[in-house]
Amino acid sequence: MAKNMSIKKNSNSLFTQIRQICLITNDFEKTVSGLSKELGVGPFKCWDHKPPRLFDIKLYGKEVYFTMKLAIAWIGNTQLEVIQPLEGQNIYKEYFDTYKEGVQHLLLETGNLNLNKAVNRLATVDYSVIQESKLNIPVQIGFLKLPSIPRILSDLFIPKFVYLNTQDSAKTVLEILQLPPFLSSKAGISIVKPDYWIPAENTNINTSLSNSFIDQIYKIGIITHDLDKTVRNYVERLGIAPWKMYNLQSPRLSETKIHGENVNLSMRVAVTYVGNTLLEIVQPLDGISIYHDLLYKHGEGVHYIGVASEKLKFSELIKHFNKLGYSIAMEGKLENAYHFAYLDTKSVAKMMIEVISIPANQISVALENLQPDEIYPNLNKK
C-alpha cells in the first residue's frame, strides 16, 4: 500500500486549470433553454458564428468553411459551452456523427505558456492540431461599442482556438485558447457582444438566474475501459499527475443502488486535480452500474460532472432534482467519507450530474483521508 500523498501537487503539468466543458447538441435552443429553465444555469451569451467572424479556419491542416450556434454561461469559475454544428465539416459534427449529443471537449488553460509554445510542446508527444480558428467579435463595454479588430492585428488581439487529437488517449478532445494580452477568461466573455441572450431578459453573464441552485462544478468524470492506460497517457503525455488510484468494492463501497434497487458493483477509480477541478477516471468492473450503460451506449469519454450548491444540502439537492423530474440513477457510500448520487440529467444536460454529502471545499480533505491502493507515478517507490 502506497503512502498517502497529496493530489494537489501538480507543478510539472502544462495545464493550470480546466476552464470549460463543451456540450454538443442537435437542438441548440431546446438545450440552452432547458439548462436555464430547468437547471437554473445561465444566463447564456449566444452567437450564430460563421465567416467572416470565424476566419483562418483549418480542419486537419486544410482550410474549411463551417457555421455553428454557440452559447456560454458561467457555473462558478467554469464555463459551460453549448455548440450545435450547422453547415460544413468540423470536429463538432464529427463528434455528433459518432457519439451523438454529449461532452465533446474540455478547454484547459496553460498559465504563462503561450499557445504556440504549448502546441509545440504537445507535438513532441504526438498530439497534433486537428482544428483551429480565429474569432473576431465586436466588443461592448457598457454603452460603448467597439467594431471588429482589423485582420492585420489578429495575431495580437483576436482569440485563437486550437483543438488537439487527444480523444483516443485522454478520452476527450482538449482545447487551448489564446486570448488578447492581459485579458482573462472572465473579462473576455464579459466584453464580447452577443447576438442574443437566453433567457432574453437576463443580459449580464456575471449574474445568476432567479432559479439558480448550482454554484460550482468541482469534478469532471471520465469513463474508460482501461484505467491504467488512460492514466499513463495523462501522466506521460500531458504531465497531469500524481493520481490516487482505488479499487472499490464492498465493504469500501456500500449501500449501492441502481434506480433504487440494491446492487453489488466494483470499479477502479483514479483522481487528481487540475487547478481547482478534480479530474476523475472510472473503469467499471463487476456488477451492474451506470458506467457500464454509458460505455455501451456512448463509448469512452466525459460522462458526468460533480456539482455543489451553496443553497441546498445533499438531501435537499436530491429532492430539488427529483422535483424537477430528475431521479437518482445510481447512489452509494464510499467508506465513511461521503454518500454520492448520480442524477439522470442526460436529457437536458447531455451528461449525468453527481452530488455528494459533503461540501465541495471539504472534498480534497476527504480524499486525503482515503488510503489509495496505488499512487501513480509513485515517486517514493524505489
Side-chain angles (χ1 to χ4, degrees):
M1 185 81 68
K3 289 184 178 181
N4 210 350
M5 181 186 295
S6 172
I7 56 172
K8 281 284 190 179
K9 295 178 180 178
N10 205 11
S11 58
N12 292 325
S13 175
L14 166 64
F15 302 107
T16 58
Q17 188 61 267
I18 301 175
R19 183 57 65 202
Q20 181 192 90
I21 301 167
C22 178
L23 309 177
I24 301 299
T25 179
N26 67 341
D27 193 329
F28 181 82
E29 284 76 13
K30 182 179 178 181
T31 298
V32 177
S33 296
L35 287 165
S36 60
K37 290 179 180 178
E38 298 181 39
L39 298 185
V41 178
F44 283 88
K45 273 189 168 181
C46 305
W47 296 271
D48 296 328
H49 283 328
K50 61 182 180 180
R53 181 188 292 171
L54 279 171
F55 68 101
D56 288 354
I57 312 170
K58 292 181 181 178
L59 180 66
Y60 304 112
K62 297 181 179 180
E63 292 186 3
V64 295
Y65 170 98
F66 68 79
T67 66
M68 63 178 174
K69 290 180 176 290
L70 184 148
I72 290 178
W74 287 102
I75 301 178
N77 291 316
T78 304
Q79 292 176 9
L80 185 63
E81 181 180 65
V82 180
I83 289 178
Q84 180 183 357
L86 299 174
E87 303 174 273
Q89 287 297 121
N90 51 63
I91 59 172
Y92 320 121
K93 185 178 185 301
E94 288 179 353
Y95 177 90
F96 182 81
D97 289 344
T98 303
Y99 302 104
K100 304 305 178 186
E101 297 178 302
V103 178
Q104 185 265 337
H105 71 257
L106 302 176
L107 170 62
L108 277 71
E109 294 185 350
T110 57
N112 295 324
L113 192 65
N114 68 35
L115 184 143
N116 289 334
K117 289 182 178 179
V119 167
N120 290 338
R121 177 169 163 182
L122 289 164
T124 64
V125 290
D126 297 323
Y127 284 142
S128 59
V129 174
I130 54 176
Q131 182 174 296
E132 58 186 294
S133 63
K134 294 177 182 178
L135 185 60
N136 196 357
I137 308 178
V139 168
Q140 181 167 355
I141 305 173
F143 294 104
L144 178 63
K145 297 181 181 179
L146 302 179
S148 300
I149 296 171
R151 292 283 186 91
I152 195 171
L153 300 176
S154 65
D155 286 339
L156 288 176
F157 298 109
I158 289 179
K160 181 177 180 180
F161 305 83
V162 166
Y163 301 86
L164 301 154
N165 64 330
T166 55
Q167 178 67 50
D168 289 342
S169 60
K171 310 311 172 187
T172 188
V173 170
L174 299 183
E175 177 190 9
I176 303 174
L177 164 66
Q178 178 178 289
L179 288 171
F182 312 111
L183 191 66
S184 67
S185 297
K186 225 30 164 174
I189 294 299
S190 295
I191 64 175
V192 291
K193 188 177 183 296
D195 293 328
Y196 52 98
W197 292 85
I198 297 179
E201 65 274 15
N202 295 87
T203 58
N204 185 345
I205 197 168
N206 295 315
T207 60
S208 299
L209 300 179
S210 59
N211 62 333
S212 171
F213 66 97
I214 299 172
D215 300 294
Q216 180 185 355
I217 296 174
Y218 71 85
K219 177 165 71 176
I220 294 172
I222 293 171
I223 305 176
T224 182
H225 290 294
D226 191 332
L227 185 82
D228 292 318
K229 184 177 180 180
T230 303
V231 168
R232 281 199 306 272
N233 284 326
Y234 271 92
V235 174
E236 296 171 8
R237 301 179 71 179
L238 295 171
I240 295 176
W243 293 80
K244 281 189 172 184
M245 303 172 72
Y246 304 88
N247 301 321
L248 298 181
Q249 58 189 1
S250 179
R252 296 187 81 183
L253 194 62
S254 62
E255 301 177 29
T256 46
K257 297 179 181 180
I258 301 291
H259 300 294
E261 298 292 328
N262 292 326
V263 295
N264 290 319
L265 59 93
S266 61
M267 56 183 157
R268 298 185 67 214
V269 179
V271 293
T272 195
Y273 274 94
V274 181
N276 296 319
T277 304
L278 187 66
L279 188 60
E280 179 173 89
I281 302 175
V282 175
Q283 178 188 344
L285 299 175
D286 297 328
I288 300 171
S289 72
I290 61 167
Y291 310 126
H292 288 96
D293 190 52
L294 290 167
L295 274 177
Y296 174 76
K297 292 180 179 179
H298 198 81
E300 297 176 294
V302 177
H303 285 293
Y304 61 92
I305 57 172
V307 305
S309 174
E310 295 178 1
K311 301 174 183 177
L312 302 174
K313 296 180 180 178
F314 179 67
S315 60
E316 296 171 333
L317 196 51
I318 289 175
K319 288 180 181 178
H320 189 69
F321 274 109
N322 290 341
K323 185 178 178 180
L324 294 170
Y326 306 111
S327 59
I328 296 176
M330 187 173 82
E331 60 187 302
K333 186 176 182 180
L334 180 57
E335 291 189 345
N336 293 316
Y338 56 81
H339 285 84
F340 60 88
Y342 291 86
L343 286 305
D344 192 1
T345 53
K346 280 187 67 66
S347 61
V348 63
K350 314 308 172 190
M351 57 187 169
M352 295 280 193
I353 288 179
E354 182 189 8
V355 295
I356 62 174
S357 61
I358 58 174
N361 60 8
Q362 295 180 19
I363 293 170
S364 61
V365 176
L367 287 172
E368 293 306 319
N369 293 328
L370 289 175
Q371 187 68 23
D373 295 287
E374 182 183 351
I375 298 286
Y376 186 81
N378 185 0
L379 302 179
N380 295 327
K381 188 174 181 180
K382 295 182 180 179

